[in-house]
Amino acid sequence: MKTYKVGLIGAGGVTELHLIGYQGHKDRVEVTAICDPNEETLNRKADQFGIPQRFSNVDDFIRSSGVDVAIVCTPTSIRKQVVIPLLEAGFPLFVEKPFSDTLGDAVEITNRAAKLGVPVSVNQNFRRHFTFDVVKGIVNEGKIGKVTSILFNNLFFRQDSGWRLQCERHALSVMGIHWFDGFRQILGSEAVSVTSLMRSSSAIECAGETDATVQVDFENGAIATYVQSFSSSFPRTEMIVIGETGTLFCTHGKVELYREESKSPLQTWDNNISREIATFEGLNHLLVSLETGAEAPNSAQDNLNTVAMLDAAYRSAAEQRTVSLRKGLTT
């Protein structure tokens, strides 16, 4: 296999997912450059992980890094202004989620990448870190019959700091982007409508929402009901997938199968994929696509459907109505 030289744009906390995840795969990925305007943050991260090339602006990175792939870990508020120059310079990109702040920006980036012939993939690492991939396999095997509904709760107390405090889109942008994507994976279907309510708790300092309830209708007739809270003192993350012949109870680490009147699980599956490992796997999807010419399963084009669900949730809450989607785009 080819070893690819990669460089990171952004040296904040999320970069550690990448740098730790890549450490066990030096035959595949060599991190040779990192870029961040904050020189203290830049040098601390570069020293910690032994990254030789350090850049304080994207133009210098483009001109002198010599990497094969760029990994974009910037705040979403400056995502487009970083991504477009990299695309125009011909760098294949692995981009942190959410892909962009708005669906409009995501469409613009995707179309520009397609026109330039430059592949872009998105780090939807919870496909593997949570049990979505495991459940997808169980559903595809027909073990619970046709899925009729998904119930998902993600409740915990989270006080962010830094740039996120000023974002108008908060809790769903941080976590909902994972869950929307996971529902798509399980169902193998796209959303046709989204209805949501959002509130912001005074317990959390932020400009955006801390709590939300979202209902999503899918093309195949299934319904997903999702509750998100960043202000709950009681933590709980669980998913219940209801099929016509069985039900799955899912957490990060385990999936349990129940059938009618069964008081204990009839079968269990474990899931021990860390976010770091899943992040490397996401990058490797992009690398394989470079080698084969096939579209990566986490491509920008695929991710538009996830961003469309996120965008529709915010529009629904703001406009107090159900937002319809067609082929991944809001109408």
Side-chain angles (χ1 to χ4, degrees):
M1 292 189 297
K2 177 180 176 179
T3 301
Y4 290 82
K5 292 182 179 180
V6 305
L8 284 79
I9 313 296
V14 74
T15 58
E16 296 203 6
L17 287 179
H18 296 263
L19 294 168
I20 293 171
Y22 303 159
Q23 283 181 330
H25 302 277
K26 293 183 179 180
D27 59 332
R28 189 64 164 158
V29 178
E30 181 184 3
V31 182
T32 60
I34 189 167
C35 176
D36 196 289
N38 184 317
E39 291 194 4
E40 180 182 353
T41 301
L42 172 68
N43 288 320
R44 182 171 62 248
K45 195 61 60 74
D47 289 344
Q48 180 183 356
F49 289 93
I51 304 171
Q53 295 188 87
R54 306 169 189 196
F55 301 93
S56 59
N57 67 77
V58 175
D59 289 340
D60 288 344
F61 177 95
I62 289 172
R63 184 165 48 248
S64 304
S65 68
V67 299
D68 302 307
V69 174
I71 298 165
V72 182
C73 299
T74 64
T76 53
S77 58
I78 61 169
R79 183 65 50 78
K80 189 170 74 169
Q81 68 191 68
V82 170
V83 164
I84 296 299
L86 289 166
L87 286 175
E88 291 179 341
F91 286 92
L93 301 182
F94 187 46
V95 182
E96 260 303 323
K97 64 79 202 168
F99 186 18
S100 66
D101 265 341
T102 67
L103 178 59
D105 282 354
V107 170
E108 181 181 347
I109 292 169
T110 301
N111 289 344
R112 183 75 64 92
K115 183 177 180 179
L116 294 168
V118 179
V120 178
S121 286
V122 181
N123 186 26
Q124 291 287 174
N125 56 5
F126 272 60
R127 291 184 180 184
R128 294 272 285 149
H129 175 56
F130 196 74
T131 42
F132 293 124
D133 194 58
V134 175
V135 172
K136 178 181 178 180
I138 295 168
V139 169
N140 288 345
E141 290 175 12
K143 288 186 177 292
I144 63 169
K146 180 182 178 181
V147 175
T148 57
S149 61
I150 297 173
L151 308 175
F152 196 100
N153 295 313
N154 182 221
L155 319 175
F156 62 112
F157 193 92
R158 172 169 171 153
Q159 176 60 69
D160 280 293
S161 60
W163 63 273
R164 287 196 187 278
L165 296 183
Q166 305 307 317
C167 293
E168 293 182 1
R169 297 182 171 191
H170 191 54
L172 292 194
S173 184
V174 174
M175 294 307 302
I177 192 73
H178 289 303
W179 314 138
F180 291 141
D181 188 72
F183 303 156
R184 291 181 55 231
Q185 301 310 305
I186 289 172
L187 297 171
S189 183
E190 303 299 348
V192 294
S193 70
V194 178
T195 308
S196 67
L197 295 171
M198 299 183 188
R199 297 292 184 269
S200 187
S201 169
S202 61
I204 304 296
E205 180 189 353
C206 67
E209 84 289 349
T210 61
D211 296 79
T213 300
V214 185
Q215 185 169 13
V216 186
D217 296 333
F218 285 87
E219 290 174 339
N220 66 356
I223 298 171
T225 302
Y226 154 47
V227 176
Q228 180 71 61
S229 178
F230 275 14
S231 65
S232 173
S233 299
F234 176 75
R236 170 167 288 176
T237 300
E238 62 184 17
M239 177 172 66
I240 300 171
V241 181
I242 302 173
E244 292 179 339
T245 62
T247 296
L248 302 174
F249 176 75
C250 318
T251 61
H252 272 90
K254 183 170 290 188
V255 178
E256 299 176 340
L257 169 65
Y258 293 82
R259 298 201 189 281
E260 186 179 356
E261 297 182 355
S262 61
K263 296 181 180 179
S264 58
L266 301 175
Q267 189 172 354
T268 62
W269 296 261
D270 292 325
N271 184 65
N272 299 304
I273 305 297
S274 69
R275 290 190 299 161
E276 292 81 3
I277 291 172
T279 295
F280 165 74
E281 291 178 348
L283 172 61
N284 198 49
H285 286 318
L286 173 63
L287 304 184
V288 170
S289 77
L290 292 175
E291 294 164 346
T292 64
E295 183 179 328
N298 58 344
S299 70
Q301 186 64 51
D302 171 80
N303 206 247
L304 283 182
N305 294 286
T306 298
V307 177
M309 293 169 66
L310 178 68
D311 196 72
Y314 283 110
R315 285 185 58 184
S316 172
E319 298 170 12
Q320 298 184 356
R321 68 180 181 90
T322 295
V323 173
S324 298
L325 296 94
R326 183 171 59 84
K327 298 187 181 299
L329 300 178
T330 53
T331 58

